[in-house]
Amino acid sequence: MSALHEILRQRLTAICRKEGLLGETVRVCATPLSTEEAIGTPEDKDFPLQKGKERLLQATFRDARGQAFTDHYGNYEGTLESLLATPPANTFRRAVFVAALNAVLKHLELIGNTVHCRDEDLRACASELAPQLRERFGAVKITQVGFQPRMVEALAPLFPLRLLDLDPDNLGHTKFGVPVEGPETASDAVAWAELLLVTGTTLVNDTIGDFLLDKPVLFYGTTIAGAAHLMGWERFCPKSS
C-alpha cells in the first residue's frame, strides 16, 4: 500500500469517527456495473468500458453512490469499520476503498459528482474541457494519461498533445492523430508536458504518484472525487451526478 492510500485511509477514518459512523452497522456494497448501467448508450462506441477492459465498481452507502474504475472487480459487503481496518493493498481492495470513500463523502455532502455521466453527456463533457483549458492555460503542451476518446478528439486539434495508456490494444496505434504511448515513454511525455490531464483510475492502479509533480495537474472522472477533496487536487467532471 502506498503512502498516499494510507493518508486517505486515515483521513476517511477520522471523518467517519467524527461523524459517529464507525460504531454503526453499515452496509457498503460494491458491484461491477454493466456498460449500459455505467454510461448508458452513447452514440460513440470507442470508450474503454464498451471494450470490456474495465468496469465501474459502485459502492452504496445509505443514500449515496460512489464509483471507481478498475480491471479487477467483484463484490464486497461489510461495515465501514471493517473496510477501513483492511489496508487497500491490491487493486481490488483499492477499488472497493475508493468507491466507498466517494460514497461516504457524497452522503456527508462533502463532494458531488460521484456517478458517471451517461449517453451524450460524455461528448458534452469533452466539448467543455477544451475551451476551458485554452482560456486558462493557453496553447500549452498537454500529456493526457488514460485514453478517454472524446477528450482526445476535442483536445488534439487545439493543443500539442501526447497520450499515455496501459491498454495493449491501443499501444502503437494513433487516436485522432495522436500516437498512443506506453510506460516506456511515460517519463519523457510527463517531462515534456506543461499540463498533465490525468485519469482518476491512476488512484486505483497505484500509478498516481508518477503524476503528482511540480507542474499543473488536472484529474478527471468520478473515481478521483473523494481523494481530490481530501488532498486538495483539481478535478474536471462536469456532467457526472
Side-chain angles (χ1 to χ4, degrees):
M1 180 179 61
S2 70
L4 171 60
H5 285 90
E6 178 59 20
I7 291 170
L8 293 172
R9 187 167 70 105
Q10 291 177 3
R11 292 184 180 180
L12 180 58
T13 300
I15 290 170
C16 291
R17 182 176 293 115
K18 178 182 177 182
E19 298 293 333
L21 300 178
L22 290 176
E24 297 183 13
T25 301
V26 182
R27 292 182 61 201
V28 180
C29 302
T31 56
L33 300 180
S34 70
T35 301
E36 186 168 347
E37 288 173 321
I39 63 172
T41 54
E43 182 176 343
D44 303 293
K45 303 300 180 184
D46 54 353
F47 291 94
L49 273 174
Q50 295 169 312
K51 297 170 61 180
K53 297 292 184 179
E54 293 181 329
R55 285 289 181 265
L56 270 177
L57 285 186
Q58 180 165 283
T60 303
F61 178 73
R62 293 188 176 181
D63 57 344
R65 293 177 291 164
Q67 298 177 336
F69 269 102
T70 181
D71 58 357
H72 288 72
Y73 40 87
N75 299 325
Y76 175 89
E77 183 177 327
T79 64
L80 274 175
E81 186 173 17
S82 62
L83 173 64
L84 290 168
T86 305
N90 58 47
T91 302
F92 173 67
R93 290 192 181 278
R94 284 192 295 271
V96 170
F97 169 76
V98 168
L101 165 68
N102 292 337
V104 171
L105 296 190
K106 177 69 174 291
H107 166 72
L108 294 172
E109 299 184 347
L110 295 175
I111 60 173
N113 300 84
T114 61
V115 177
H116 204 293
C117 63
R118 297 167 55 84
D119 303 321
E120 297 315 306
D121 274 345
L122 285 94
R123 179 173 287 277
C125 166
S127 70
E128 289 187 16
L129 176 64
Q132 287 188 27
L133 294 184
R134 189 80 175 197
E135 179 178 356
R136 181 175 174 187
F137 297 102
V140 292
K141 296 183 292 185
I142 298 175
T143 290
Q144 179 170 327
V145 180
F147 177 52
Q148 207 284 9
R150 299 291 72 74
M151 288 185 176
V152 177
E153 183 180 24
L155 296 178
L158 299 175
F159 298 90
L161 183 66
R162 292 177 72 170
L163 174 61
L164 296 173
D165 197 44
L166 293 176
D167 185 350
D169 290 345
N170 289 333
L171 299 180
H173 294 275
T174 298
K175 304 291 185 178
F176 306 104
V178 182
V180 183
E181 304 177 55
E184 68 283 352
T185 61
S187 294
D188 180 69
V190 168
W192 169 86
E194 296 169 300
L195 170 67
L196 299 176
L197 181 64
V198 182
T199 174
T201 310
T202 55
L203 181 64
V204 173
N205 66 28
D206 209 19
T207 62
I208 191 169
D210 296 337
F211 311 108
L212 295 173
L213 304 173
D214 188 21
K215 62 175 63 184
V217 180
L218 178 63
F219 291 99
Y220 64 88
T222 56
T223 302
I224 201 78
H229 171 76
L230 293 180
M231 302 302 294
W233 300 328
E234 287 196 68
R235 177 174 72 114
F236 179 83
C237 199
K239 298 300 183 181
S240 52
S241 60

